[in-house]
Amino acid sequence: MNNGSLAFMFICTGLVFFMIFGLAFFYGGLGRRKNVINNMMMCVVPIAIGTLLWFAVGYSLSFSGNGSFIGNFEHLFFAGVSEAKSSRGLDIPDALFAVFQMMFSIIAVAILTGSAAGRMRFMPLVIFVTFWLLLVYYPFAHMVWDEGFLAQLGTIDFAGGDVVHISSGVSGLVLALMLGKRRDYQRLGYRPHNVPFVLLGAGILWLGWFGFNAGSALSANSLAVHALVTTHLSAAAAMFSWLIIEFCLAKKVSLVGASTGLIAGLVAITPAAGYVSAWSSVLIGLLVSPICYFAISVLKHRLGYDDALDAFGCHGVGGIFGGIVTGIFTLPSLALDKQNIGIIYGNGHLLWVTIIAILVTVIWSAVATFVIVAVIKKIMPIRVTDHAEAIGLDDSEHGETAYPTFMGLDS
């Protein structure tokens, strides 16, 4: 074991965990006053569910065995997971690797809850989170990051473009479609109720993303440094690009826009952070903002779906873009397989298998989410009543409010 890598990965694990609370503030600020507790709870409850499920079966299903689509039960309840040595040839023990990966599963499912904000009952959400982890996240963690089908094809995903962002974004879209629109959607304007919360959440996410991406090197080494550099450059470039778009279209720039832009840049660089050059990361950041801006500001309204907090528009669309550019810009010097490089360096195989992986992720995530929600709907209603939605989910679902003087009127 390497003591420097141990210390580094302890910190990175903590940073990824801290991101969950950043997401809670980000989603809480973007929503309405009467739903802020509910929005935050949807981010926080996956900590309990995801932790216990990962300990019981999740790690084993994700990182054991050599099945094409799912692992086996070798490490149930962390059986055989050493706290002192690595069976994977890493600088850190298996237990630390397992806990680091646990954090990814938690934030992945927390991301998709943003699409359902303002109208989903909490108990069906808890059931949905459990089965989504079992049927979507664990299979993709195994297929991409272990010895599964997509890894065998040659696809690469440095820190979770496919596994975290595309799967959660697409699942969020399907969940939103099956829930239906909020009662006042496209009749009343939905404005963020607390813009400082949005910035606070975005700032925590940006900080935590250094652990998310740099930590995915799984060692305190030059690859971790490179991933940190590309991560920061992409986020800054995407924020700048988003503000330019706002200024050109509205002659004003917004704090919510700056926060959303930097998140889009972080999402896009996630699958590519350890594989592309610094200049490529700047280009990725500059290009992802126009694409996500179009998805959030134009496409969503034209098609009429209610992706409440833009989990699909930011994470799904940004993750798909990030996967594609990974297949375009992966450097020969950083590629895991020297024949599996970016198309601009003379070989299109990586781009081709990346597109296949994206399609598999989209289809699998959409179908699994549809099935989970359809089954839950047979057992219990998944949407709150019209009255409960009108008074707010904080009061109707949790019996508490963020603002004691708030009388229930909201715009």
Side-chain angles (χ1 to χ4, degrees):
M1 297 294 97
N2 181 289
N3 288 337
S5 292
L6 278 168
F8 173 67
M9 291 305 299
F10 278 132
I11 294 169
C12 288
T13 301
L15 287 173
V16 180
F17 181 66
F18 192 39
M19 289 174 71
I20 301 163
F21 299 94
L23 186 68
F25 274 101
F26 188 71
Y27 278 174
L30 282 175
R32 303 172 82 174
R33 285 175 293 176
K34 61 187 179 183
N35 296 325
V36 60
I37 298 287
N38 182 254
N39 289 348
M40 288 183 158
M41 276 295 293
M42 290 195 301
C43 294
V44 171
V45 75
I47 297 174
I49 299 169
T51 297
L52 296 176
L53 200 59
W54 185 260
F55 171 67
V57 299
Y59 178 68
S60 190
L61 292 175
S62 300
F63 291 102
S64 66
N66 55 8
S68 294
F69 299 101
I70 195 70
N72 60 27
F73 298 121
E74 179 183 354
H75 296 305
L76 293 183
F77 300 100
F78 278 19
V81 178
S82 175
E83 298 174 356
K85 59 184 179 180
S86 173
S87 63
R88 310 178 70 87
L90 301 176
D91 289 344
I92 59 173
D94 289 341
L96 181 53
F97 171 78
V99 175
F100 178 68
Q101 292 294 338
M102 175 199 294
M103 303 307 169
F104 283 67
S105 69
I106 295 169
I107 197 159
V109 74
I111 287 168
L112 73 85
T113 65
S115 292
R119 63 221 196 262
M120 187 170 183
R121 294 178 61 234
F122 197 70
M123 188 52 63
L125 176 74
V126 169
I127 297 171
F128 174 82
V129 163
T130 302
F131 283 95
W132 187 86
L133 287 168
L134 288 167
L135 298 180
V136 179
Y137 186 86
Y138 300 158
F140 274 99
H142 180 75
M143 281 191 282
V144 176
W145 285 336
D146 203 41
E147 302 297 330
F149 165 63
L150 296 177
Q152 293 168 18
L153 281 183
T155 191
I156 56 176
D157 183 358
F158 189 75
D162 265 305
V163 181
V164 175
H165 296 293
I166 300 177
S167 64
S168 62
V170 171
S171 294
L173 175 61
V174 174
L175 179 60
L177 290 170
M178 296 184 75
L179 277 170
K181 302 172 187 175
R182 287 166 290 177
R183 60 193 294 273
D184 294 324
Y185 186 66
Q186 294 183 322
R187 289 193 292 120
L188 292 178
Y190 286 87
R191 299 172 64 88
H193 95 281
N194 193 321
V195 175
F197 269 19
V198 176
L199 178 62
L200 174 62
I204 293 172
L205 286 168
W206 196 340
L207 172 65
W209 229 290
F210 293 141
F212 197 87
N213 285 1
S216 292
L218 301 175
S219 180
N221 57 22
S222 61
L223 181 60
V225 175
H226 183 82
L228 185 145
V229 171
T230 56
T231 297
H232 190 65
L233 287 173
S234 180
M239 181 172 68
F240 178 76
S241 179
W242 195 289
L243 294 178
I244 292 296
I245 295 167
E246 285 191 334
F247 184 78
C248 290
L249 295 178
K251 304 305 178 188
K252 295 179 181 178
V253 295
S254 70
L255 193 55
V256 171
S259 301
T260 306
L262 73 89
I263 298 297
L266 291 166
V267 170
I269 198 61
T270 291
Y275 305 128
V276 302
S277 65
W279 71 263
S280 297
S281 68
V282 173
L283 187 60
I284 289 167
L286 291 174
L287 292 177
V288 71
S289 282
I291 294 169
C292 288
Y293 186 93
F294 176 80
I296 292 170
S297 300
V298 179
L299 185 65
K300 180 172 75 169
H301 299 289
R302 286 185 181 175
L303 298 182
Y305 60 85
D306 187 8
D307 177 16
L309 304 181
D310 297 309
F312 173 71
C314 190
H315 296 271
V317 173
I320 290 170
F321 174 79
I324 292 171
V325 295
T326 302
I328 295 173
F329 294 115
T330 292
L331 282 166
S333 60
L334 294 174
L336 298 178
D337 177 353
K338 301 311 177 185
Q339 301 302 314
N340 229 14
I341 60 177
I343 194 170
I344 66 169
Y345 298 104
N347 193 324
H349 178 260
L350 178 59
L351 180 59
W352 172 241
V353 297
T354 298
I355 292 172
I356 292 174
I358 290 170
L359 291 174
V360 171
T361 308
V362 169
I363 295 169
W364 184 309
S365 301
V367 172
T369 300
F370 178 85
V371 171
I372 295 168
V373 176
V375 171
I376 295 173
K377 288 175 75 172
K378 294 288 186 180
I379 301 170
M380 64 181 72
I382 64 170
R383 182 164 178 152
V384 297
T385 64
D386 192 65
H387 175 70
E389 187 176 343
I391 66 172
L393 274 66
D394 289 359
D395 186 35
S396 64
E397 290 291 302
H398 307 289
E400 61 182 347
T401 58
Y403 310 105
T405 58
F406 175 51
M407 302 303 295
L409 300 175
D410 211 345
S411 59

